């Protein structure tokens, strides 16, 4: 399973490296979202600083949708989905590999977005370990749930429009918990962030387990 | 002789429509069987069924000893089957070598087999490092063929394999099919290029009447399960 996951993740990341979709399309989109929020709320930088956690994760959420769509678009072209089914790869490995590739891209995006939030919104990082742990846990959850719903939507004709409708409600707990944990890490609101981080880790673990078990069936049946 | 493919009254329903309505087919180990029929007759559906990509709704369907009605163990079957279909399953952004390596490794192919497949399909030099997006249709077909060859499948399922290939490519394909059979593989192919395909095949099976019946070429009735 882990060998297949490494093979799949390596392939997806190589495709992204060659196509530059993440760096030339998704990343500029993410920066634009951060800039537009900044412009919209600019008259009062106090609001920007207070809302920076939520705005950061909303931007990450939008980017996740694009990254997940992209991860399954490359499989939809020229019979890739059937080839994947015929490959003999362990479906659990395919799930973990695709989720890992999405997670790597999201981490890279989050680093740039975090710099944007600090520079443009004037946010101050006060709890770096919590910030790092939150990013890792939330990203794992986004990637795992996204991969699961991505394969579900990929078999449908209206996948481009259906995926956000299916996925965003599912990811609402990630948005809430990650925002709360970030608020603590950015020192904006005096709440304890670690329980929220634990909730994110639990969400990620559940979807990783569920995805590992269900991905094969979804790949076959959807 | 041992049956590699055994279909008896195999029915496949896709949605509400029967894609196959009672196919009977026996293919012995080491045979090359040509499926012949008009467009929409069900040749592609038979090949996809044998690859384990489509469900068998009713009837018997056993491929390489695996009952297709049993969804467990399908992964093992698929590792032993190679399907060259209309779609190639290639990734445009990756090079020829990347694609063949990925699909080969997915089936646990040895590095030597992957390199040998590239050479056997004439994918060497600058062509091997070219992104698939910049290949001609024939070169894409050769790359897909190399992916299949690298896996060394026991059962080759070839759907219009000559389509898009030039004369050299067609000769190469026929040679690879011959080599595969010589090393113990079984081949089922569909083609509209009957002269070439019939010369390659041991036996011709005709699928007629919109996927509902099977017949064979004259003199080959003994292979047909009516």
């Amino acid at each position: 399973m882990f060998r297949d996951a490494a093979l799949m993740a390596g392939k997806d990341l190589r495709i992204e490296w060659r196509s530059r979709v993440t760096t030339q399309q998704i990343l500029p989109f993410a920066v634009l979202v951060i800039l537009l929020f900044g412009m919209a709320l600019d008259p009062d930088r106090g609001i920007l600083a207070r809302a920076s956690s939520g705005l950061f994760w909303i931007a990450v959420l939008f980017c996740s949708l694009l990254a997940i769509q992209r991860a399954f678009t490359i499989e939809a072209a020229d019979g890739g989905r059937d080839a994947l089914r015929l490959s003999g790869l362990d479906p659990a490995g395919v799930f973990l590999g695709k989720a890992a590739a999405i997670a790597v891209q999201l981490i890279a995006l989050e680093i740039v977005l975090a710099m944007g939030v600090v520079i443009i919104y004037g946010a101050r990082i006060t709890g770096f370990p919590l910030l790092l742990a939150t990013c890792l846990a939330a990203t794992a959850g986004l990637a795992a749930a996204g991969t699961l719903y991505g394969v579900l939507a990929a078999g449908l004709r209206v996948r481009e429009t259906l995926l956000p409708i299916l996925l965003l409600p599912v990811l609402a707990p990630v948005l809430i918990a990650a925002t709360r944990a970030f608020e603590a890490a950015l020192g904006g609101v005096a709440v304890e962030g670690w329980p929220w981080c634990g909730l994110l880790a639990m969400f990620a673990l559940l979807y990783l387990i569920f995805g590992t078990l269900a991905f094969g069936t979804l790949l076959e049946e959807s | 002789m041992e049956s590699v493919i055994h279909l008896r009254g195999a029915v496949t329903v896709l949605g509400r429509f029967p894609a196959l309505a009672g196919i009977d087919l026996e293919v012995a180990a080491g045979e090359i069987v040509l499926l012949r029929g008009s467009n929409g007759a069900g040749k592609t559906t038979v090949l996809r069924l044998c690859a384990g990509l489509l469900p068998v709704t009713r009837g018997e369907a056993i491929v390489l000893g695996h009952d297709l009605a049993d969804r467990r163990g399908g992964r093992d079957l698929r590792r032993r089957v190679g399907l060259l279909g209309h779609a190639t399953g290639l990734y445009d952004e990756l090079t020829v070598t990347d694609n063949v390596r990925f699909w080969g490794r997915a089936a646990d192919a040895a590095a030597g087999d992957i390199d040998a497949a590239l050479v056997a399909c004439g994918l060497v030099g600058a062509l091997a490092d070219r992104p698939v997006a910049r290949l001609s249709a024939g070169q894409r077909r050769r790359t897909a063929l190399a992916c299949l060859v690298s896996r060394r499948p026991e059962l080759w399922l070839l759907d219009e394999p000559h389509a898009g290939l030039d004369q050299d490519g067609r000769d190469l394909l026929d040679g690879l099919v011959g080599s595969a059979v010589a090393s113990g593989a079984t081949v089922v192919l569909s083609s509209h290029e009957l002269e070439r395909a019939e010369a390659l095949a041991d036996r011709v099976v005709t699928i007629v009447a919109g996927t509902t019946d099977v017949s064979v070429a004259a003199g080959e009735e003994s292979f047909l399960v009516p």
Side-chain angles (χ1 to χ4, degrees):
Chain A
M1 178 175 76
F2 292 111
R3 186 204 75 102
D4 290 352
L7 187 65
M8 198 71 200
K11 183 267 292 177
D12 277 10
L13 289 172
R14 188 173 292 121
I15 287 174
E16 284 315 312
W17 181 253
R18 298 258 169 84
S19 67
R20 311 267 189 214
V21 168
T22 302
T23 51
Q24 293 181 358
Q25 292 178 33
I26 301 179
L27 183 61
F29 170 76
V31 173
L32 265 179
V33 170
I34 289 288
L35 279 173
L36 288 173
F37 277 138
M39 288 177 194
L41 301 173
D42 185 55
D44 187 344
R45 279 181 71 88
I47 291 177
L48 260 184
R50 283 200 301 278
S52 57
S53 301
L55 298 179
F56 173 89
W57 283 107
I58 285 173
V60 171
L61 214 57
F62 288 159
C63 293
S64 302
L65 289 174
L66 296 178
I68 293 158
Q69 292 269 27
R70 169 72 183 154
F72 287 95
T73 299
I74 58 177
E75 303 299 347
D78 204 10
R81 192 178 169 94
D82 275 350
L84 209 55
R85 291 170 64 199
L86 270 174
S87 67
L89 286 167
D90 184 347
V94 175
F95 167 76
L96 291 175
K98 289 202 92 63
I102 291 169
V104 168
Q105 294 168 61
L106 289 181
I107 290 285
L109 286 169
E110 286 165 19
I111 291 169
V112 176
L113 283 176
M115 289 192 293
V117 164
V118 169
I119 294 167
I120 299 169
Y121 297 174
R124 282 188 313 109
I125 300 172
T126 54
F128 189 74
L130 176 61
L131 185 109
L132 190 63
T134 301
C135 276
L136 292 175
T139 302
L142 290 173
T147 304
L148 196 59
Y149 281 84
V151 72
L152 184 69
L156 306 170
R157 287 181 188 172
V158 289
R159 55 182 171 266
E160 290 85 2
T161 46
L162 191 63
L163 182 66
I165 295 170
L166 287 176
L167 192 55
L168 286 175
V170 173
L171 295 180
V174 176
L175 177 69
I176 294 166
T179 300
R180 294 291 178 272
F182 245 52
E183 283 172 350
L186 296 179
V189 179
V191 292
E192 177 58 62
W194 287 105
W196 291 108
C197 189
L199 189 68
L200 288 169
M202 190 65 74
F203 181 94
L205 189 65
L206 278 175
Y207 267 96
L208 282 169
I209 293 170
F210 186 52
T212 302
L213 297 174
F215 189 84
T217 306
L218 292 174
L219 184 65
E220 292 294 325
E221 305 296 341
S222 62
Chain B
M1 197 181 284
E2 183 192 350
S3 268
V4 170
I5 297 175
H6 166 78
L7 304 180
R8 184 182 288 267
V11 173
T12 291
V13 177
L14 299 176
R16 288 180 297 154
F17 303 102
L20 296 176
I23 289 285
D24 299 327
L25 178 67
E26 294 285 338
V27 178
E31 266 196 304
I32 303 176
V33 173
L34 168 65
L35 301 181
R36 191 172 60 182
S38 55
N39 289 335
K43 303 183 295 296
T44 298
T45 308
V46 170
L47 293 173
R48 287 171 59 80
L49 173 71
C50 291
L53 287 175
L54 295 178
V56 58
T57 311
R58 282 197 307 277
E60 292 176 22
I62 298 170
V63 176
L64 291 168
H66 175 80
D67 188 345
L68 296 182
D70 180 6
R71 304 306 292 269
R72 295 167 301 173
R75 188 175 153 222
D76 292 332
L77 170 68
R78 290 171 183 178
R79 277 181 185 260
R80 298 165 65 195
V81 170
L83 173 67
L84 181 65
H86 297 287
T88 60
L90 300 174
Y91 298 106
D92 280 353
E93 296 84 353
L94 299 183
T95 65
V96 168
T97 304
D98 287 339
N99 268 287
V100 178
R101 279 195 183 142
F102 174 73
W103 291 117
R105 283 178 184 163
D108 290 332
D113 287 339
I114 293 169
D115 292 341
L118 283 163
V119 173
C121 294
L123 302 167
V124 291
L127 185 57
D129 296 324
R130 193 177 298 171
V132 164
R134 301 213 323 254
L135 297 182
S136 70
Q139 289 167 333
R140 286 181 80 96
R141 201 77 175 153
R142 279 184 187 230
T143 308
L145 185 60
C147 293
L148 184 147
V149 170
S150 72
R151 298 162 56 94
R152 297 170 67 93
E154 293 170 51
L155 174 60
W156 291 38
L157 302 168
L158 309 176
D159 195 1
E160 299 287 351
H162 297 106
L165 290 174
D166 57 17
Q167 187 63 39
D168 286 347
R170 291 172 186 197
D171 292 343
L172 176 96
L173 171 72
D174 292 353
L176 288 170
V177 167
S179 301
V181 171
S183 61
T186 305
V187 179
V188 180
L189 72 154
S190 74
S191 183
H192 288 294
E193 298 198 31
L194 294 179
E195 195 173 329
R196 176 176 279 273
E198 283 180 9
L200 189 65
D202 299 321
R203 188 157 58 91
V204 179
V205 173
T206 306
I207 300 180
V208 293
T211 78
T212 58
D213 197 6
V214 179
S215 65
V216 296
E220 299 289 351
E221 283 80 3
S222 61
F223 290 96
L224 174 67
V225 181

